[in-house]
Amino acid sequence: MENEGKDNGEFSFVSDGGAETGRRGLPKIHTEKNAPTTERDICHDDSTTPMRARTLEHLHSLQKKRSTPTTPLTDSQGVFSPVSEAERQKQQLISISASLASLTRETGPKLVKGDPEKKKEAHKASVLDHLHFGEPILNLSDSALKSTHILYNLSPAELYEQAIKYEKGSFITSTGALATLSGAKTGRSPRDKRVVKDDTTEKELWWGKGSPNIEMDEHTFLINRERAVDYLNSLDKVFVNDQFLNWDPENRIKVRIVSARAYHSLFMHNMCIRPTAGELEDFGTPDFTIYNAGQFPCNRYTHYMTSSTSIDMNLDRKEMVILGTQYAGEMKKGLFSLMHYLMPMRQILSLHSGCNMGKNGDVALFFGLSGTGKTTLSTDHNRYLIGDDEHCWSDNGVSNIEGGCYAKCIDLSREKEPDIWNAIKFGTVLENVVFDEHTREVDYSEKSVTENTRAAYPIEYIPNAKIPCVGPHPKNVILLACDAFGVLPPVSKLSLPQTMYHFISGYTALVAGTEEGVKEPQATFSACFGAAFIMLHPSRYAAMLAEKMKKHGATGWLVNTGWSGGSYGSGNRIKLAYTRKIIDAIHSGALLEANYSKTRVFGLEIPDAIEGVPSHILDPINTWSDKDGYHETLLKLGGLFKKNYEGIHTYQVERDSELAEEILAAGPTL
């Protein structure tokens, strides 16, 4: 073995019989560098370029490329002005400091941009310091002596790092999504939502019985705001998102979200419209700000508080405060409520609906409560998806309010919802799901944490999403109802007054459950198919809807995705294939050419034939073997509609008696 391997020019070793042996009789290794003498003190792999870095810190600094602005700021005359990066950073920090300012102190907090864990980077960052150290300062607090680090509009990758490192309960699933927990609250808390009642909102908003708006005074709001701001300023770091609402560029709203969790920042990154680098540089002062201090409770001794949770909105101050709940959906729906106030003031209709568009530019709106099939029917691979949940209808057409989708995950499967399934990948937030501790594969049937498991992802994760999310004026307005009583027709053409009536009613019927073997449907009404989020009286949204439908020639339809041939327990669910054929006939315009007859009680117009749908099921009485039972159930449902509408009608009469009577006359006649 003597001199074996010597031809590599780097080392050799001698056999056991050689002159030199090492420990335990092993041969000694002799390095024989063939490089010139001047390079013998440098050991490197000569198959690659030598590393530039001389230390680990230097190597890590080379790993990340610094982002640079793409668009210079402009001066008041619209001329490009040479603003330095340092000046941009300073202007951003001034704006954020103003947002986080306490109302009882003259200045906002001292801010540093960047992660406090990165000591060296933080030391180099520019600090916004309002304090004049040459002057004595009265009533100086401890919080004024510290700096709060701002993590501004981080990317999903950066937010993943923050969540995994610092937020217990955050994991990466097998498909790359971020699984996280929302704490004790796994859904919205509508009874803890408050709106400041002042001279303006007292006149404009819907108050009283049936309204989702629960009042609070401004003083109490300011107490809660101070509590939230002080909590956020006490932290080493907070996340700040500057984003947009509404894809219509003429009517978009600038929003700022200040939060304490990476989960919340990533959720809103997905759900709001993401600004370009240039738009972010010119963002300026937001139109509305959310202070999410959900990890910190409200003071239950404060007036109007009924629990440790409080979600408060002040429309005059353009602010929202969240205390005592970490459920991210509160931010999404809080902004939706805001749009339900701001947009009608601009004569723009805000809608809780799905929206899609055919290849010929025909747009359809889909309204429906949970279980009616709104997501399934509005998601059509033959049509473009404009949005799945929140929209505006202006003089320019329709536009999505959001930049993402918030889908239910319970019992999700690739076969039933392939688009949602495939959207759950890197960048998606998965709330409160259960997964295998080893493989990280999610079990969507598992309800250990909650049944309200959700996925939040950017809308571009849907393959047929229309970007930008805008479209022309709708041709069809489809109201979906899952009628478990089994007496509504599979499809009805509505007049404008009927459209307003059923839009205001927002009806569906669900199975209440099983008790001692008895199964019984339960009627559910939600005004405008989203009563929890509207700010004005339902009739105002309904009147705007009818006005726009009339102006642009849209047709209203009531589609029953529920039961036929009897109520739940005796009848059968209308086949999804039949409902899809009905929707296809609406989209194509074929259903407008059908002959119609009118039903009893509700006075609905039903077609005599639809291609691919058995004609006998189009009139529900034909499918009931017990005709007396049908009439009895029909009258029962009509009575439930009338009872639900009583309070709404009384409110309408006080404000517009003529419109009120027109809508009421479109309801059931008993």
Side-chain angles (χ1 to χ4, degrees), residues 500-517:
M500 286 191 284
Y501 182 88
H502 287 278
F503 176 70
I504 291 173
S505 297
Y507 163 74
T508 195
L510 306 175
V511 177
T514 303
E515 185 176 341
E516 296 181 358

Side-chain angles (χ1 to χ4, degrees), residues 584-625:
D584 288 344
I586 291 173
H587 289 324
S588 69
L591 208 49
L592 289 174
E593 307 302 322
N595 296 317
Y596 287 85
S597 58
K598 190 168 286 191
T599 66
R600 294 179 55 192
V601 180
F602 282 89
L604 300 172
E605 291 191 351
I606 56 176
D608 59 353
I610 300 173
E611 184 179 351
V613 181
S615 296
H616 76 280
I617 75 167
L618 297 176
D619 189 343
I621 193 172
N622 296 333
T623 64
W624 281 64
S625 57

Side-chain angles (χ1 to χ4, degrees), residues 267 271 327-329 332 388 404-408 431 454-457:
F267 178 92
M271 295 310 304
Y327 181 64
K332 165 187 160 66
D388 74 329
C405 302
Y406 193 36
K408 293 180 180 178
E431 285 182 326
R454 296 270 184 163
Y457 48 86

Side-chain angles (χ1 to χ4, degrees), residues 483 487-492 558-561 574 599 604-606 617-620:
D483 178 28
V487 295
L488 291 181
V491 61
S492 313
L558 180 64
V559 175
N560 175 22
T561 62
I574 297 172
T599 66
L604 300 172
E605 291 191 351
I606 56 176
I617 75 167
L618 297 176
D619 189 343

Side-chain angles (χ1 to χ4, degrees), residues 5-125:
K6 188 172 182 178
D7 57 354
N8 64 15
E10 295 207 1
F11 67 87
S12 65
F13 57 88
V14 297
S15 65
D16 292 344
E20 292 183 86
T21 58
R23 297 176 62 188
R24 301 182 181 178
L26 296 176
K28 268 193 173 183
I29 296 175
H30 297 273
T31 59
E32 297 180 6
K33 297 292 292 182
N34 292 331
T37 305
T38 56
E39 296 184 13
R40 286 179 183 175
D41 57 340
I42 302 175
C43 182
H44 61 76
D45 180 358
D46 60 6
S47 65
T48 186
T49 304
M51 174 64 70
R52 292 182 178 181
R54 291 295 178 266
T55 66
L56 279 177
E57 289 76 12
H58 188 197
L59 174 62
H60 291 160
S61 71
L62 295 175
Q63 187 181 21
K64 298 177 184 176
K65 180 181 178 182
R66 184 174 177 83
S67 299
T68 55
T70 58
T71 308
L73 292 176
T74 57
D75 60 21
S76 58
Q77 283 74 41
V79 178
F80 288 137
S81 55
V83 179
S84 67
E85 177 63 14
E87 183 62 24
R88 290 181 198 278
Q89 299 283 349
K90 181 180 179 181
Q91 290 175 6
Q92 279 184 347
L93 290 175
I94 289 173
S95 176
I96 296 169
S97 180
S99 294
L100 282 167
S102 164
L103 299 178
T104 60
R105 304 183 187 103
E106 293 183 1
T107 62
K110 293 193 294 182
L111 302 181
V112 175
K113 202 168 185 181
D115 190 341
E117 296 300 319
K118 300 176 182 177
K119 302 293 185 182
K120 293 185 178 180
E121 292 182 33
H123 179 71
K124 295 177 183 178

Side-chain angles (χ1 to χ4, degrees), residues 58-255:
H58 188 197
L59 174 62
H60 291 160
S61 71
L62 295 175
Q63 187 181 21
K64 298 177 184 176
K65 180 181 178 182
R66 184 174 177 83
S67 299
T68 55
T70 58
T71 308
L73 292 176
T74 57
D75 60 21
S76 58
Q77 283 74 41
V79 178
F80 288 137
S81 55
V83 179
S84 67
E85 177 63 14
E87 183 62 24
R88 290 181 198 278
Q89 299 283 349
K90 181 180 179 181
Q91 290 175 6
Q92 279 184 347
L93 290 175
I94 289 173
S95 176
I96 296 169
S97 180
S99 294
L100 282 167
S102 164
L103 299 178
T104 60
R105 304 183 187 103
E106 293 183 1
T107 62
K110 293 193 294 182
L111 302 181
V112 175
K113 202 168 185 181
D115 190 341
E117 296 300 319
K118 300 176 182 177
K119 302 293 185 182
K120 293 185 178 180
E121 292 182 33
H123 179 71
K124 295 177 183 178
S126 59
V127 178
L128 179 65
D129 189 354
H130 292 294
L131 300 178
H132 302 285
F133 292 105
E135 304 171 5
I137 303 169
L138 300 176
N139 301 321
L140 183 65
S141 66
D142 287 343
S143 61
L145 296 175
K146 67 175 284 293
S147 296
T148 301
H149 292 254
I150 299 300
L151 302 183
Y152 183 73
N153 274 54
L154 296 191
S155 67
E158 293 171 307
L159 291 168
Y160 265 56
E161 293 168 1
Q162 291 287 327
I164 296 298
K165 190 172 183 180
Y166 302 112
E167 296 180 13
K168 190 173 182 179
S170 297
F171 298 88
I172 301 175
T173 70
S174 61
T175 62
L178 179 69
T180 187
L181 296 172
S182 65
K185 302 283 187 178
T186 58
R188 290 182 300 102
S189 303
R191 294 181 181 178
D192 295 311
K193 184 180 175 183
R194 301 286 185 270
V195 182
V196 172
K197 190 174 186 179
D198 54 29
D199 292 342
T200 301
T201 57
E202 183 177 11
K203 298 173 184 176
E204 293 179 344
L205 301 193
W206 178 27
W207 303 100
K209 184 179 179 181
S211 168
N213 302 316
I214 305 173
E215 70 175 272
M216 74 184 311
D217 59 37
E218 185 169 31
H219 177 73
T220 304
F221 173 85
L222 294 178
I223 291 174
N224 282 355
R225 182 195 186 277
E226 195 78 354
R227 191 172 176 91
V229 167
D230 282 347
Y231 169 74
L232 292 167
N233 287 335
S234 74
L235 303 175
D236 287 336
K237 63 186 177 186
V238 295
F239 299 88
V240 177
N241 291 41
D242 280 349
Q243 296 183 254
F244 299 118
L245 299 177
N246 197 353
W247 282 83
D248 178 359
E250 293 182 16
N251 295 292
R252 73 181 183 184
I253 303 297
K254 298 187 294 184
V255 294

